[in-house]
């Protein structure tokens, strides 16, 4: 692993984004027990801690397409992201955005180490530490899904993952850890967070045990460790077992889903640094749209037809045109259902799927599934997972893990020069690290 004397991220970006924190620290000494409130304000910075999901994975996936007119109107960075050939990506970028979340988490964890725990402060200390571990792991997992190859057990120690920062010292040399070490860090952070977090949080902008269980299930699903994904999805569902009955929603409204609705276990949102990934440019893949049954209420709740005849996605749980990327009870149920089926509990998996679909179809129109083979049940669950969780920053990871299992998903792009294809397991599935980060730190770039 290569090391560097320079910081892992541009220091000026940290200084600018953390001005409020630096003011607090210089005025009052953050590392004292009476500054729990200051630490909570750092973690409650929604722009840094919640609206920071990297959009590059979703921009690289097959949930959407750009018309040639939109493609030609976008800047070079959006065009490069759309065609999996990012060449020159400098600050500001989504690598920096994610590492600001890591940095803020580390500020809190570093300062909590200097506070002696007692009966009076134990609960507050625990919730702050648990939240910081959760946020850090959330950012790390997003970075891994974007900038590392898919997790393959036989190759987990061979390929580089991301830069792991376990404290807030920005001057420590940067090096890329192995994919195995990175996933182990995510898991370890989440395992530490669970006993410290409340069962349910005061607000879904803050982490909870249910959210940590859900994120562990996501992590193990992306690793294709379906036995453990089942365990943690089940633990999350036991706390967050609420579904929206889509029959109760008005499909004629512009954005039919309420922000912070009952299905939201943890709220996060895609950062808005990539023009290709917005409501007007990113049109729904036509084959995906046609896969919905006429009695499936998502057909009208998720999509709005534009003037060109193509469909835009209006089904975000962010309550607007921004893309929601948080954890929901529906996602948790789908993870448990898929894991059940892969682990041989086919009827349990189908029962979970049937329960969800009854909340998605017009009343009385859905026919429960049963008696399917494992392969047929798995095909159905993967189909419904894609239809339920589109534009949530999950598809890029799904394509990587499914292609490692031989699903042979080929992504295609129509651009003025012709049709581009991204073949399964290509090096391009590990997207390029920003140019300035590589230049300044000396960490190895992903081969393309």
């Amino acid at each position: 692993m290569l090391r560097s004397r320079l910081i892992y991220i541009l220091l000026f970006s940290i200084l600018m984004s953390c001005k409020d924190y630096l003011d607090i620290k210089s005025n009052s000494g953050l590392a004292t027990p009476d500054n729990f409130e200051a630490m909570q304000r750092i973690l409650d910075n929604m722009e840094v801690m919640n609206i920071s999901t990297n959009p590059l994975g979703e921009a690289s996936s097959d949930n959407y397409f750009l018309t040639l007119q939109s493609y030609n109107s976008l800047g070079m960075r959006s065009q490069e992201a759309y065609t999996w050939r990012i060449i020159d990506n400098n600050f500001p970028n989504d690598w920096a955005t994610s590492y600001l979340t890591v940095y803020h988490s580390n500020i809190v964890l570093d300062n909590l180490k200097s506070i002696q725990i007692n009966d009076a402060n134990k609960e507050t200390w625990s919730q702050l530490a648990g939240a910081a571990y959760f946020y850090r792991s959330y950012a790390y997992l997003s970075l891994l899904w974007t900038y590392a190859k898919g997790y393959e057990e036989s190759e987990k120690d061979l390929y580089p993952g991301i830069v792991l920062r376990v404290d807030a010292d920005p001057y420590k040399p940067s090096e890329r850890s192995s994919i195995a070490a990175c996933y182990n860090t995510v898991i370890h952070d989440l395992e530490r967070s669970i006993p410290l977090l409340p069962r349910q949080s005061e607000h879904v902008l803050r982490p909870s045990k249910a959210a940590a269980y859900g994120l562990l299930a996501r992590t193990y699903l992306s690793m294709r460790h379906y036995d453990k994904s089942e365990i943690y999805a089940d633990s999350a569902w036991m706390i967050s077992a609420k579904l929206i009955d889509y029959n109760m929603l008005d499909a004629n409204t512009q954005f039919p889903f309420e922000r912070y609705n009952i299905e939201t276990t943890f709220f996060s949102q895609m950062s808005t640094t990539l023009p290709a990934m917005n409501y007007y440019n990113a049109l729904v893949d036509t084959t995906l749209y046609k896969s919905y049954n006429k009695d499936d209420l998502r057909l009208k709740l998720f999509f709005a037809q534009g003037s060109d005849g193509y469909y835009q996605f209006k089904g975000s749980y962010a309550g607007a045109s921004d893309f929601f990327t948080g954890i929901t009870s529906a996602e948790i149920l789908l993870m448990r259902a898929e894991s059940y089926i892969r682990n041989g509990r086919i009827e349990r998996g189908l029962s979970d799927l049937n329960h969800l679909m009854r909340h998605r179809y017009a009343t009385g129109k859905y026919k429960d599934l049963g008696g399917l083979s494992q392969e047929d049940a798995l095909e159905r669950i993967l189909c419904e997972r894609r239809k339920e969780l589109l534009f949530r920053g999950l598809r890029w990871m799904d394509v990587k893990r499914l292609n490692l299992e031989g699903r042979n998903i080929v992504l295609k792009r129509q651009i003025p020069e012709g049709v581009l294809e991204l073949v399964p397991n290509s090096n391009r599935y590990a997207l390029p690290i920003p140019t300035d980060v590589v230049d300044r730190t000396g960490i190895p770039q992903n081969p393309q």
Side-chain angles (χ1 to χ4, degrees):
M1 286 181 270
L2 298 178
R3 302 180 65 88
S4 170
R5 296 179 181 177
L6 300 174
I7 59 174
Y8 73 105
I9 193 173
L10 302 178
L11 182 58
F12 69 81
S13 70
I14 294 175
L15 295 176
M16 288 189 295
S17 299
C18 298
K19 182 178 182 298
D20 291 341
Y21 157 70
L22 295 172
D23 289 345
I24 293 169
K25 185 171 183 179
S26 62
N27 292 335
S28 57
L30 183 59
T32 57
D34 60 351
N35 274 279
F36 285 133
E37 183 180 349
M39 286 185 258
Q40 186 64 68
R41 285 202 298 272
I42 291 171
L43 297 180
D44 283 343
N45 185 336
M46 181 180 178
E47 294 294 324
V48 173
M49 310 307 285
N50 299 88
I51 308 181
S52 56
T53 302
N54 196 313
L56 286 176
E58 190 66 39
S60 302
S61 78
D62 57 351
N63 283 330
Y64 80 108
F65 71 98
L66 298 175
T67 64
L68 292 181
Q69 181 179 1
S70 290
Y71 177 84
N72 288 329
S73 70
L74 295 173
M76 184 65 69
R77 183 164 176 264
S78 284
Q79 290 183 354
E80 290 177 349
Y82 184 61
T83 55
W84 319 292
R85 53 183 182 184
I86 301 171
I87 299 169
D88 191 20
N89 181 16
N90 294 306
F91 181 85
N93 51 53
D94 302 291
W95 173 280
T97 299
S98 295
Y99 275 106
L100 282 175
T101 306
V102 173
Y103 182 69
H104 279 224
S105 302
N106 283 336
I107 287 171
V108 172
L109 290 170
D110 283 359
N111 283 280
L112 285 173
K113 292 175 184 176
S114 66
I115 298 176
Q116 185 173 356
I117 305 174
N118 55 47
D119 290 340
N121 68 17
K122 182 178 180 180
E123 182 177 355
T124 302
W125 189 99
S126 296
Q127 289 190 22
L128 287 167
Y133 283 129
F134 176 91
Y135 284 120
R136 188 168 74 181
S137 63
Y138 203 88
Y140 279 160
L141 193 60
S142 177
L143 285 160
L144 272 170
W145 287 355
T146 305
Y147 298 107
K149 297 184 67 173
Y151 185 94
E152 180 71 274
E153 192 67 33
S154 62
E155 300 178 342
K156 62 183 180 180
D157 294 306
L158 301 180
Y159 295 102
I162 58 172
V163 176
L164 297 174
R165 310 300 290 193
V166 295
D167 58 47
D169 180 0
Y171 294 101
K172 284 189 174 179
S174 294
E175 58 182 35
R176 293 182 69 178
S177 299
S178 69
I179 289 176
C182 292
Y183 274 97
N184 287 339
T185 297
V186 171
I187 292 166
H188 185 49
D189 274 358
L190 288 171
E191 288 176 341
R192 285 190 289 188
S193 76
I194 288 171
L196 301 173
L197 289 169
R199 181 178 171 86
Q200 292 181 304
S201 58
E202 295 179 13
H203 195 282
V204 292
L205 288 168
R206 293 180 176 178
S208 63
K209 274 186 172 62
Y213 284 135
L215 191 56
L216 265 172
R218 267 189 183 182
T219 303
Y220 281 119
L221 192 81
S222 68
M223 299 169 71
R224 297 184 293 134
H225 288 185
Y226 299 114
D227 52 343
K228 292 183 178 179
S229 181
E230 176 189 320
I231 291 169
Y232 289 109
D234 182 65
S235 296
W237 178 253
M238 292 300 102
I239 302 173
S240 298
K242 294 180 179 179
L243 293 174
I244 301 170
D245 182 353
Y246 279 15
N247 287 278
M248 306 302 293
L249 301 178
D250 183 2
N252 294 317
T253 57
Q254 184 178 13
F255 300 110
F257 293 97
E258 180 184 352
R259 202 178 210 199
Y260 313 137
N261 60 56
I262 62 168
E263 283 190 10
T264 303
T265 303
F266 175 73
F267 184 92
S268 68
Q269 187 176 302
M270 201 173 292
S271 64
T272 55
T273 60
L274 204 61
M277 293 308 302
N278 70 31
Y279 174 75
Y280 298 100
N281 289 324
L283 301 175
V284 179
D285 177 80
T286 54
T287 302
L288 175 59
Y289 175 81
K290 292 175 182 177
S291 68
Y292 291 81
N293 185 283
K294 64 181 178 61
D295 295 318
D296 189 334
L297 297 172
R298 293 173 296 186
L299 195 62
K300 293 184 178 180
L301 288 167
F302 279 10
F303 309 113
Q305 190 170 24
S307 58
D308 53 7
Y310 296 118
Y311 287 86
Q312 299 159 331
F313 179 70
K314 67 172 187 175
S316 172
Y317 277 20
S321 60
D322 301 306
F323 292 130
F324 169 84
T325 58
I327 300 168
T328 66
S329 52
E331 181 194 351
I332 289 166
L333 195 60
L334 283 167
M335 288 192 290
R336 190 175 74 168
E338 180 181 343
S339 299
Y340 274 152
I341 291 168
R342 289 181 179 276
N343 296 331
R345 300 175 181 85
I346 299 169
E347 293 306 317
R348 285 190 182 185
L350 291 175
S351 177
D352 279 353
L353 180 60
N354 291 335
H355 181 58
L356 176 62
M357 291 299 100
R358 286 192 291 269
H359 289 76
R360 299 304 189 247
Y361 272 60
T363 302
K365 294 295 185 179
Y366 178 74
K367 295 182 180 180
D368 282 359
L369 297 173
L372 301 181
S373 67
Q374 186 176 35
E375 183 58 33
D376 287 344
L378 183 58
E379 287 291 338
R380 189 59 186 264
I381 196 71
L382 291 176
C383 176
E384 293 302 337
R385 174 179 170 84
R386 188 177 181 201
K387 292 194 289 185
E388 176 73 17
L389 304 177
L390 70 167
F391 291 102
R392 296 204 188 173
L394 298 171
R395 178 60 177 171
W396 187 239
M397 175 273 288
D398 276 351
V399 172
K400 287 201 269 193
R401 73 179 174 99
L402 294 175
N403 274 342
L404 286 171
E405 296 177 349
R407 293 275 164 178
N408 197 34
I409 301 169
V410 178
L411 307 189
K412 297 182 180 181
R413 299 288 198 235
Q414 177 72 55
I415 61 172
E417 294 80 6
V419 177
L420 295 180
E421 290 189 351
L422 185 63
V423 299
N425 307 318
S426 164
N427 284 334
R428 289 179 182 265
Y429 278 100
L431 296 175
I433 294 170
T435 309
D436 53 358
V437 174
V438 172
D439 291 343
R440 289 170 179 265
T441 65
I443 61 175
Q445 179 61 277
N446 289 324
Q448 297 297 296

